[in-house]
């Protein structure tokens, strides 16, 4: 970047400092101020320490700092500020919004892309990227409110014979203000059971209100989940992109057997092609 | 990697050498033999030259070398061989298969992931990753054979109100043996019109043979495309990840107005959220 000030939105990849691109590393090292966005994903303490050794000291930003970015943008008017985001920075609406605000203020900006979990999960599992439908995120139940959309996404994908990448929330409060607790596989199961219960209640209430084809589709698709949700095939991904990464293949009902690490996500596989089956057999524990 | 021999499958990212991760760069520089896989994507000559300066000389592998990899795997028994793949190496079945073969021969292997076009296209456009359905690739019509599946994927996604990432083929022969000609936006339009014609013929023939729900769905979904395919909204992505990258927003019928570069892909947007609309307005030429 030619300007001496501005916003650098830098993806630092998954897992550790070596998964950063050389241009990202360069940009961070040369920035006047470094800020780690710390509410959409988490690295372990060791890797955070190594990051500091490699790029120098940095501050932390939580959700309110990014969503109400007046302070950050004011700093960008005077110096070059690198916002470091785990994975790829442009997968989140908040970051798109941040760039649009910078543009309105005529602050120069540049994006450095990083390897995202979407890449890693499809790649490491050996499942074909072309056979993944829409991804989803399992959220914690916030104060009694239970989302059902993740289950709907999974069942629509199954109906279309597509795999689903299921990311896990890491913020039990939904506020993004600290005390992040990345969802564990057993929490994910609990949340999914809650979702099914809620969805079945909703379906009973709304069964008469079939107004358009998308709604019909929604109801139809519930049938694609196994009658007993605990039988749903899952592939749990643990600490992808780190030296500890592992895949575990089983059913939702036995998810407590999956390895527990720092960050998890899950793939709900549909029917597997021959090579996908072979790859999972080799690379996923059962 | 501890072993002095083996297979390194290395993603080198999109665009140029600076989009490589530091671990990928390291692995390539330290390998005994370097091979660039050159049939699933293409860099321009300048960047290939810079890559050589940075990592040393390398050979090229075409599709037959990777699909019948006896020669490569024999070399991996004696030295460390880095197969460089543009983008991420594990998005293609062929590379998954290559790893499985290495494993059968007890050849040590390691994968280095790279930034893939999937990351870039969703990120650079500002469209939400969560609103992308299954991706597809537009293939050239090989000797009279026209695929209709890309159009089916697009229309199913539109029915579900999801965007589609449409990659472009770069091999008019389908053999992967050289003379790659990355599909241009105007070729893409031509192929899509051919596909529609084929699909409509097929539908007439098969209308009586409605055997299962997936087939019904397939026929139903044709309606989601505009009656006149030339009205289909498209976002053409040109040279993503390079300094020349650009986005162009328009309709399929006017696709000749899109910038022409070295590599292209396309997004078929569904209904845009407010922030998606705002991002496209800012970042895509019309």
């Amino acid at each position: 970047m030619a300007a001496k000030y501005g916003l650098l939105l830098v993806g630092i990849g998954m897992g550790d400092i070596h998964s950063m691109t050389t241009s990202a590393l360069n940009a961070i090292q040369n920035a006047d101020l470094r800020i780690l966005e710390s509410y959409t994903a988490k690295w372990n303490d060791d890797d955070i320490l190594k990051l500091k050794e490699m790029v120098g000291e940095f501050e932390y930003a939580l959700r309110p700092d990014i969503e109400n970015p007046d302070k950050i943008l004011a700093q960008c008017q005077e110096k070059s500020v690198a916002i470091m985001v785990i994975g790829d920075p442009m997968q989140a609406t908040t970051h798109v919004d941040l760039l649009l605000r910078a543009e309105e203020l005529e602050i120069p900006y540049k994006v450095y892309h990083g390897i995202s979990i979407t890449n890693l999960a499809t790649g490491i599992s050996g499942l074909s990227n072309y056979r993944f439908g829409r991804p989803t995120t399992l959220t914690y139940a916030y104060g009694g409110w239970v989302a059902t959309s993740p289950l709907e996404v999974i069942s629509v994908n199954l109906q279309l014979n597509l795999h689903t990448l299921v990311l896990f929330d890491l913020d039990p409060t939904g506020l993004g203000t600290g005390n992040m607790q990345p969802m564990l596989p057993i929490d994910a199961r609990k949340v999914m059971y809650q979702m099914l219960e809620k969805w079945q209640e909703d379906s009973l209430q709304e069964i008469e209100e079939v107004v358009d084809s998308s709604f019909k589709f929604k109801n139809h698709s519930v049938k694609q989940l196994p009658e007993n949700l605990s039988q749903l095939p899952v592939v749990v991904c643990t600490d992808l992109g780190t030296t500890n990464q592992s895949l575990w293949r089983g059913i939702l009902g036995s998810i407590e057997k999956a390895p527990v690490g720092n960050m998890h996500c899950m793939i709900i596989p549909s029917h597997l092609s021959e090579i996908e089956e072979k790859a999972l057999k080799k690379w996923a524990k059962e």
Side-chain angles (χ1 to χ4, degrees), chain A:
Chain A
M1 198 170 63
K4 289 236 164 50
Y5 65 99
L7 172 65
L8 310 170
L9 196 55
V10 190
I12 59 175
M14 301 300 301
D16 66 26
I17 41 168
H18 303 294
S19 66
M20 219 179 291
T21 65
T22 56
S23 59
L25 183 59
N26 229 338
I28 301 169
Q29 284 171 332
N30 292 321
D32 298 322
L33 176 66
R34 289 168 274 277
I35 300 176
L36 180 66
E37 187 269 77
S38 343
Y39 71 92
T40 52
K42 216 182 157 181
W43 274 5
N44 70 39
D45 296 342
D46 270 7
D47 288 315
I48 292 288
L49 213 65
K50 281 184 207 150
L51 180 62
K52 279 194 181 157
E53 281 169 19
M54 207 140 166
V55 302
E57 280 299 317
F58 49 80
E59 302 178 2
Y60 294 85
L62 292 168
R63 185 158 162 180
D65 307 314
I66 303 287
E67 287 188 347
N68 305 299
D70 293 346
K71 193 182 151 206
I72 286 176
L73 290 173
Q75 291 173 307
C76 295
Q77 304 262 21
E78 293 163 8
K79 44 192 163 188
S80 67
V81 179
I83 313 259
M84 303 182 280
V85 179
I86 292 172
D88 182 80
M90 291 293 281
Q91 305 297 320
T93 308
T94 324
H95 301 140
V96 175
D97 193 54
L98 182 63
L99 285 198
L100 289 171
R101 284 171 194 242
E103 186 150 299
E104 271 165 31
L105 296 170
E106 297 181 0
I107 294 170
Y109 60 82
K110 190 164 174 184
V111 178
Y112 297 84
H113 289 278
I115 292 177
S116 79
I117 188 66
T118 313
N119 257 192
L120 283 186
T122 64
I124 291 172
S125 64
L127 301 187
S128 165
N129 183 43
Y130 285 105
R131 299 201 53 227
F132 276 79
R134 176 183 201 173
T136 189
T137 294
L138 286 182
T139 47
Y140 286 104
Y142 303 123
W145 186 80
V146 178
T148 59
S149 57
L151 226 47
E152 291 164 31
V153 169
I154 293 167
S155 58
V156 168
N157 283 339
L158 286 175
Q159 173 151 346
L160 297 169
N161 194 18
L162 299 176
H163 315 312
T164 310
L165 172 63
V166 182
L167 304 178
F168 289 3
D169 198 359
L170 71 168
D171 180 11
T173 68
L175 301 171
T177 51
N179 292 318
M180 300 301 169
Q181 289 169 32
M183 187 182 274
L184 297 174
I186 49 164
D187 303 327
R189 173 171 62 196
K190 190 180 150 198
V191 166
M192 286 180 75
Y193 288 164
Q194 288 172 334
M195 285 177 182
L196 184 65
E197 202 176 310
K198 177 72 166 40
W199 196 10
Q200 284 167 335
E201 279 169 24
D202 289 357
S203 296
L204 285 177
Q205 281 169 20
E206 293 170 13
I207 202 95
E208 299 299 318
E209 300 172 36
V210 177
V211 281
D212 66 340
S213 63
S214 66
F215 184 77
K216 265 190 288 181
F217 188 68
K218 182 176 151 180
N219 271 282
H220 183 220
S221 62
V222 75
K223 291 174 198 153
Q224 298 299 315
L225 294 170
E227 214 151 305
N228 184 344
L229 193 61
S230 70
Q231 297 300 312
L232 186 73
V234 299
V235 177
V236 176
C237 311
T238 306
D239 292 336
L240 292 195
T242 75
T243 46
N244 297 324
Q245 77 180 21
S246 68
L247 294 176
W248 175 87
R249 180 186 190 178
I251 53 172
L252 189 61
S254 307
I255 207 168
E256 69 276 3
K257 292 181 189 162
V260 172
N262 192 43
M263 285 290 284
H264 307 82
C265 69
M266 192 160 76
I267 295 167
I268 312 295
S270 62
H271 294 292
L272 298 169
S273 71
E274 200 180 326
I275 185 134
E276 288 178 323
E277 181 65 48
K278 217 170 146 188
L280 269 192
K281 271 224 154 54
K282 283 281 182 193
W283 297 327
K285 284 177 229 155
E286 304 213 10

